[in-house]
Amino acid sequence: ASAIGAPQPLSYPSGDGQAQGFLYLPERHGEGPPPLLVSIHGGPTSCTYPVFDARIQFWVRQGFAVADLNYRGSSGHGRAYRQALHLRWGEVDVEDACAVVDHLGAQGLVDPTRAFIRGGSAGGYTVLCALAFHDVFRAGASLYGVSDPLALAKVTHKFEADYLDWLIGDPEADRARYEARTPLLHAEGIQAPVIFLQGLKDAVVVPAQTDAMAAALEARGIPVVVRRYPDEGHGFRRAANQADALEQEAA
């Protein structure tokens, strides 16, 4: 068996600050730098840790370098870092996801022309924004991701009902800001293939979010794959579904 890809601390300039994360490199076999997979955690204000994650090791074994980001706004790096996402969700997180490609590419650690992005829930929103507003990634994977924050505010669960007011702004007073950061309204900017993975019992990011985004891309002839799991909610629990989701994403 191949060696386990060990996490290396990652700190790099992005926008008006520094972004953090962990880098996992595959075994090199002399054929040039590896492709890069940028992984975006959910939350969006949670964080990722340098602990064993079989999903990351799956990608490393496939020959990918993995940048597991704690973009600005993530927890664990102090209050100022955490507050960086205030009213800027869909901006600073996306900026950090794009900047890591340039940073690692400039060091020769990855091939920046073969960069991919994946994320679940809030991470899926970052994926869709990155694809819609920047030409950095060759393809993306949105796992139960947010495509329309305004619609989400109306139908998400009670616990996070007012979360978006902090992340983007008041849905009425700041409507223009919402619209500027809604991937569904800017689907024409997405040129790269996208795979969507969605649980049909999801009450946090409801399936309509995925359906609308996928339909908007399909209407323009963008390659789209949608995998729906009838027995899953927000996040996949069943081992067979987790395995299938990884295999579909890799394919």
Side-chain angles (χ1 to χ4, degrees):
S2 306
I4 296 293
Q8 305 173 23
L10 183 59
S11 181
Y12 59 97
S14 179
D16 54 8
Q18 286 280 122
Q20 311 293 330
F22 300 98
L23 176 65
Y24 299 78
L25 291 172
E27 290 186 338
R28 298 284 287 276
H29 301 290
E31 69 275 23
L36 173 66
L37 182 67
V38 176
S39 182
I40 309 294
H41 66 68
T45 51
S46 60
C47 61
T48 188
Y49 300 95
V51 296
F52 179 80
D53 184 330
R55 293 164 299 183
I56 289 175
Q57 299 303 325
F58 169 84
W59 293 110
V60 173
R61 292 284 292 273
Q62 300 276 333
F64 286 86
V66 178
D68 195 19
L69 298 191
N70 276 324
Y71 49 81
R72 286 171 292 162
S74 302
S75 299
H77 295 276
R79 179 173 173 79
Y81 194 84
R82 163 73 171 67
Q83 293 291 110
L85 209 59
H86 179 48
L87 300 181
R88 296 185 70 192
W89 189 38
E91 285 187 346
V92 295
D93 47 320
V94 176
E95 201 169 41
D96 294 356
C98 295
V100 77
V101 179
D102 288 339
H103 174 73
L104 296 174
Q107 297 182 61
L109 292 172
V110 305
D111 180 352
T113 68
R114 292 188 296 152
F116 303 84
I117 186 168
R118 74 183 306 273
S121 191
Y125 171 72
T126 303
V127 166
L128 295 173
C129 283
L131 294 175
F133 303 123
H134 301 271
D135 184 20
V136 173
F137 298 101
R138 295 289 298 276
S142 171
L143 292 82
Y144 36 91
V146 177
S147 66
D148 184 347
L150 270 175
L152 179 76
K154 294 173 182 155
V155 297
T156 194
H157 56 148
K158 185 177 180 182
F159 180 64
E160 292 190 356
D162 297 317
Y163 198 10
L164 287 162
D165 292 34
W166 188 87
L167 290 167
I168 300 179
D170 180 271
E172 296 302 324
D174 301 309
R175 191 174 187 89
R177 188 186 300 147
Y178 272 86
E179 290 175 352
R181 296 189 208 161
T182 294
L184 184 60
L185 298 179
H186 299 276
E188 74 284 347
I190 297 181
Q191 304 298 328
V194 186
I195 183 169
F196 295 90
L197 303 144
Q198 177 73 46
L200 294 185
K201 291 183 177 176
D202 196 334
V204 181
V205 178
V206 295
Q209 290 265 334
T210 286
D211 295 342
M213 193 73 208
L217 297 180
E218 286 170 339
R220 291 182 34 249
I222 301 299
V224 170
V225 172
V226 184
R227 290 290 281 186
R228 298 176 177 89
Y229 300 94
D231 51 353
E232 293 287 3
H234 194 61
F236 303 150
R237 303 285 183 265
R238 296 171 186 260
N241 292 339
Q242 291 179 0
D244 181 76
L246 271 177
E247 287 163 7
Q248 296 293 329
E249 193 180 331

